[in-house]
Amino acid sequence: MSEITVVIPNYNGMKYLAECMTSLCREQQNAPGYEVLIIDNASVDGSVEYLQKEWCGEGVRLISLPENTGFCHAVNLGIREAKTPYVILLNNDTKAEAGFVRGLYDAIRENEKIFSVSAKMLMWDRPELIDDAGDRYCVLGWAYSRGKGRPAADYDKSVPVFSACGGAAIYRRSVFEEIGYFDEEHFAYLEDLDIGYRARIYGYENRYEPKAAVLHYGSASTGSRYNPRKTLLASANSIYVIGKNMPLLQCILNLPFFLLGFGIKFLFFCKKRMGKLYLKGLAAGLKRSVGTTGRQHKVPFRWHHLGNYVKIQWQLYCNVFRILMKS
């Protein structure tokens, strides 16, 4: 009986699928029972035909959507379709190393309060360097990848993280029923931060596990690390994450830090000639947060969660110092 469903959202990822599927379906050692579910977001590059011909069958299933509904809708569909206790989300532009499935499975079963476990993501062209070792979030309103561009050998210890990177992580499926699923208003970007943040409010933990490793190409769907579409979506979502997860008093407390953080980011994007686009995204995120959508998706404040909010605030401060210390 399967213990895990590996959900792979795909959008025009034809050139990555062969290595991704081979590494996942044929190169996992001593893995628990698992099945693979691919959610295709209306690809037009031959992905669907390739998957149907080469991979669909026992243990591998494909759901082909008629239009691109975004990352969040695709993974939510996969999670709801899964009948297993655990779900692994895996980007199509990855190559899983041997032991990937087993490493994540063993890590999440260590404690029932663990909601998610992030894998060790390595740069595709320089696998000696980290692409992501779990995600952090700080009081400046910045979400960032832990260890980005640093030696992978320095990240061989399992540690708590603010949230798991949804590009290669395992989740406890039952918790989604308690805290809700990925917020589809994000469409893409920072949705993994949001769900990890929400889990922390409810008292769950997110961790990083180096025994589970993948090579990651990065920004495969959008074409580059910084591009207009990504800038617009990510900046809007950076405001939306704050609006929906922080109580008003916490927002006021952190406002000076947010102004500083977003101001620095604005100057950064000005240098890339996308300053106006960045501001447009911030405005869209603010409008969404204070509008009907924001009110509907707002995480309700509960007094019994107060201790969790205090712990989160402390992490927001600590992660600024980690940026400065480059740790």
Side-chain angles (χ1 to χ4, degrees), residues 27-31 96-105 211-213:
E27 298 176 1
Q28 294 303 303
Q29 298 175 352
N30 302 316
E97 295 193 349
F100 166 74
V101 174
R102 168 58 68 179
L104 289 179
Y105 177 71
K211 292 180 182 178

Side-chain angles (χ1 to χ4, degrees), residues 13-88:
M14 178 64 198
K15 66 179 180 178
Y16 307 104
L17 288 173
E19 285 193 281
C20 177
M21 295 299 294
T22 299
S23 68
L24 182 62
C25 297
R26 297 176 181 169
E27 298 176 1
Q28 294 303 303
Q29 298 175 352
N30 302 316
Y34 67 98
E35 53 194 36
V36 178
L37 175 58
I38 305 143
I39 311 295
D40 186 83
N41 256 325
S43 295
V44 293
D45 65 344
S47 295
V48 171
E49 294 78 7
Y50 168 75
L51 291 166
Q52 288 174 336
K53 180 181 178 181
E54 300 292 337
W55 293 102
C56 289
E58 186 176 356
V60 179
R61 189 157 59 102
L62 170 68
I63 296 178
S64 182
L65 302 177
E67 60 182 355
N68 185 359
T69 59
F71 177 88
C72 294
H73 176 266
V75 297
N76 281 344
L77 176 59
I79 294 166
R80 289 188 171 101
E81 286 283 326
K83 307 302 179 186
T84 54
Y86 307 103
V87 175
I88 291 177

Side-chain angles (χ1 to χ4, degrees), residues 1 38 44 52 163 246 248 266-267 275 280 294 321 323:
M1 183 177 294
I38 305 143
V44 293
Q52 288 174 336
S163 62
M246 283 192 184
L248 179 59
F266 170 65
L267 294 177
K280 182 179 178 181
F321 288 103
I323 294 175

